[in-house]
Amino acid sequence: MSNFVTVGAVAPTDGPPMAAAMNGTAPIEPPSELYQGRRAALPLDIVVVGCGLGGLAAAFCLAMAGHKVTILESVATIGEIGAGIFVGPNVTRLLIRWGLGKRLREVAVKPEARTVRRWCTGETLSWAQWGDPMAKKYGAPPYHVHRADLHRMLYDLAEPHVNIRTNCRVVSMNPSIPTLMLKSGEVVHADLVIGADGLKSTMRHFVVGTPDELRFTGDTAYRAVLPTEILLADPDLRSLVETPEITTWLGPQRHVVAYNIRAKEEYNIALCYTDRSPPAELWRIEESADRMKEEFVGWEPRIQKLLSLIPSTLKWKLMDRAPLETWIHEDGKLALLGDACHPMLPYAGQGAAMAIEDAAVLGNLFSRLSSRAQIAPLLHAYEAIRYERATNTQAFSRLSKATLHLPDGLEQEQRDTKMRAAMEDTLKKAGGEVVVSGTDTNTKGNTDHWNNEKRIAIQLGHDADEEAEKWWHQRGESEIGPLRVPSTL
């Protein structure tokens, strides 16, 4: 545990400062059994490269499936970057299943609603009830949580069951054996390798086999976190804390998203804008607050007040990669997970979700392993289950940007009109009124995908474990089950 950041901030040589985790006191209650009590009849030595959210989740799930798991992390001090993130029911159902329900309730905030506002006036364009109604509908609650707090939870969950090695940068790999060469010169052997090393993944190169460069999206993000006691002291800002919602302001080539985190002790603000400056390094630390304010001149008074409270901010350019044709190396002993294979832009708030879902599916499938002949087929099963959903979510995130950043004009006015109409239907339903089928504007031409019931159900109603179980009974039992043969490593 000594390698984990708990106080202050640590800046590794190749990234931004690490955020300190909020010290939760609620106990973690690891499940007595996962995967209906299954554990692999043939335990593997598995190496997970990367100790981020996806890597920790994958390591935990694979360990619970009966395997011996080692995490290799390149930095010397483990921590997590970023600020607030959204974890919807598709994620929280897994975290609760893994024993993190009490810790989540202690440090996270349940948003009661989602509100979309006009940039210059603050007019409400869209509103949807979240909170308990969403939890009831999808079987698990939505939360906003600081990324460092979620990372700490997953670290505490995984650490008793896996070997976490820091300062272990992978510089080369033979995917056929497989072996990994570390910067220190050490060679690490494994039966299976999972590449969970993020957007700047090294492991991705071994799967792709050719140069695969990051692409600048044209957008840059500022992030800041404010103590809520400052907002509570201002009559114009107090309601942002007292009524916990996720609020999005839409403007020309810009948008702002803000919500409470850390048991309403902090207020997270993310500001995205179209950046005309030349592409530069991925991270820029401690950008001038004055420079940030220049990008949001003329925005409504509450935004101006929030910006005036920010002394400095983190700024980074949003990078992307095209979808891969496959996440699996041809020799069937290396697979990618999370941002290493399907990086998500932040516009839909599903990046962490997709990595954690990946991890759940991997653990579920590999709880059935009984023969070395099943390793590659199970990896391809993981890809078959996850590829379409992750790729569609990537597209959903990119599409959301276009909706968020429309310039003022006819197209923006049409968007806002459809949002208002959808909001009226939502308010009627919340009040118990029946919206006649065929007149419901909620799903007709409304580009506000987070107020589209069908879209939300696809994204948040998903259960990764159920999908893995269903795949096995529909295909795996007949295609992979017969490969059960006596085997030695």
Side-chain angles (χ1 to χ4, degrees):
M1 199 68 74
S2 60
N3 286 322
F4 198 101
V5 176
T6 55
V7 180
V10 175
T13 58
D14 59 349
M18 298 295 187
M22 185 179 187
N23 290 322
T25 58
I28 291 175
E29 300 176 343
S32 56
E33 59 181 38
L34 281 177
Y35 319 127
Q36 302 178 7
R38 290 189 308 273
R39 289 177 70 84
L42 181 66
L44 299 179
D45 283 321
I46 300 177
V47 167
V48 175
V49 180
C51 195
L53 299 177
L56 286 167
F60 170 75
C61 289
L62 289 166
M64 292 298 97
H67 301 287
K68 180 182 176 182
V69 184
T70 298
I71 296 177
L72 300 179
E73 170 55 46
S74 62
V75 301
T77 304
I78 295 175
E80 185 54 271
I81 64 172
I85 60 172
F86 171 63
V87 286
N90 54 320
V91 183
T92 58
R93 77 175 80 258
L94 298 173
L95 300 177
I96 292 167
R97 194 173 290 159
W98 299 345
L100 292 173
K102 289 184 179 180
R103 185 74 71 88
L104 272 171
R105 289 192 297 273
E106 184 180 47
V107 304
V109 177
K110 186 191 299 181
E112 295 179 7
R114 174 182 177 269
T115 300
V116 179
R117 299 185 180 277
R118 181 102 166 101
W119 69 279
C120 52
T121 64
E123 173 201 358
T124 300
L125 301 175
S126 178
W127 181 88
Q129 193 172 24
W130 283 19
D132 291 336
M134 179 179 280
K136 182 178 180 180
K137 185 170 186 176
Y138 297 117
Y143 284 122
H144 286 123
V145 62
H146 197 296
R147 192 179 188 96
D149 296 339
L150 179 57
H151 187 263
R152 182 58 188 256
M153 286 183 224
L154 289 170
Y155 183 94
D156 290 347
L157 182 70
E159 193 265 345
H161 308 285
V162 307
N163 179 23
I164 301 176
R165 297 185 56 191
T166 59
N167 203 23
C168 291
R169 182 178 297 278
V170 176
V171 294
S172 65
M173 179 183 183
N174 184 333
S176 302
I177 300 178
T179 56
L180 303 107
M181 172 74 77
L182 305 185
K183 185 178 180 180
S184 65
E186 179 186 354
V187 176
V188 178
H189 296 261
D191 300 310
L192 172 64
V193 177
I194 304 298
D197 49 342
L199 183 64
K200 297 188 288 183
S201 172
T202 297
M203 308 310 296
R204 181 182 174 108
H205 299 318
F206 300 120
V207 171
V208 175
T210 57
D212 178 42
E213 298 302 321
L214 286 164
R215 179 180 61 85
F216 177 45
T217 63
D219 279 3
T220 292
Y222 292 107
R223 282 190 177 272
V225 176
L226 294 171
T228 51
E229 61 185 19
I230 301 176
L231 279 68
L232 289 168
D234 188 313
D236 294 330
L237 302 178
R238 183 182 299 133
S239 64
L240 297 175
V241 179
E242 292 177 338
T243 305
E245 298 181 344
I246 176 171
T247 304
T248 303
W249 286 265
L250 304 186
Q253 288 86 44
R254 289 158 176 74
H255 78 282
V256 177
V257 180
Y259 47 81
N260 292 275
I261 55 175
R262 291 187 160 167
K264 293 172 66 172
E265 292 181 8
E266 294 180 352
Y267 195 69
N268 179 79
I269 307 168
L271 310 97
C272 293
Y273 70 98
T274 301
D275 190 351
R276 308 297 183 189
S277 62
E281 73 278 6
L282 181 57
W283 302 107
R284 290 184 180 177
I285 309 304
E286 295 293 323
E287 174 76 358
S288 161
D290 290 337
R291 176 69 187 87
M292 174 187 63
K293 293 171 188 174
E294 291 174 6
E295 295 293 341
F296 295 89
V297 172
W299 285 54
E300 70 131 311
R302 281 174 295 185
I303 294 294
Q304 298 306 315
K305 283 195 171 188
L306 288 170
L307 295 184
S308 72
L309 298 173
I310 301 172
S312 63
T313 179
L314 292 178
K315 170 188 173 181
W316 62 87
K317 294 179 181 292
L318 300 181
M319 312 299 284
D320 197 9
R321 292 186 192 271
L324 291 176
E325 292 184 5
T326 181
W327 305 344
I328 315 298
H329 186 271
E330 60 185 0
D331 289 330
K333 297 174 184 177
L334 165 65
L336 302 176
L337 174 149
D339 278 355
C341 53
H342 50 70
M344 299 284 160
L345 293 171
Y347 309 112
Q350 288 291 292
M354 292 301 102
I356 291 170
E357 287 182 8
D358 288 349
V361 169
L362 268 178
N364 193 302
L365 289 172
F366 274 83
S367 70
R368 300 180 182 275
L369 186 81
S370 60
S371 164
R372 290 180 64 89
Q374 294 174 321
I375 295 175
L378 284 174
L379 289 181
H380 287 288
Y382 152 69
E383 183 181 74
I385 294 168
R386 295 295 302 153
Y387 189 90
E388 183 177 1
R389 175 166 170 81
T391 303
N392 286 345
T393 303
Q394 278 184 300
F396 171 43
S397 298
R398 295 185 183 107
L399 183 62
S400 296
K401 171 192 171 179
T403 299
L404 294 169
H405 286 194
L406 286 178
D408 283 351
L410 178 60
E411 199 172 355
Q412 163 263 318
E413 290 172 0
Q414 292 172 339
R415 175 200 67 189
D416 294 355
T417 297
K418 291 173 182 176
M419 283 187 173
R420 293 186 192 99
M423 177 172 62
E424 288 179 11
D425 286 338
T426 299
L427 290 170
K428 287 177 183 177
K429 290 179 181 179
E433 294 186 43
V434 176
V435 177
V436 179
S437 178
T439 64
D440 184 357
T441 56
N442 190 274
T443 58
K444 284 189 172 184
N446 178 22
T447 55
D448 178 15
H449 302 291
W450 283 113
N451 203 6
N452 181 315
E453 291 180 1
K454 290 183 179 179
R455 176 70 251 183
I456 294 175
I458 290 170
Q459 210 61 47
L460 304 186
H462 189 84
D463 188 324
D465 277 322
E466 282 188 3
E467 290 302 310
E469 293 287 338
K470 182 170 69 175
W471 188 93
W472 180 263
H473 293 301
Q474 290 178 348
R475 293 183 54 187
E477 205 156 23
S478 60
E479 295 177 12
I480 301 178
L483 298 175
R484 299 185 189 101
V485 291
S487 174
T488 58
L489 292 177

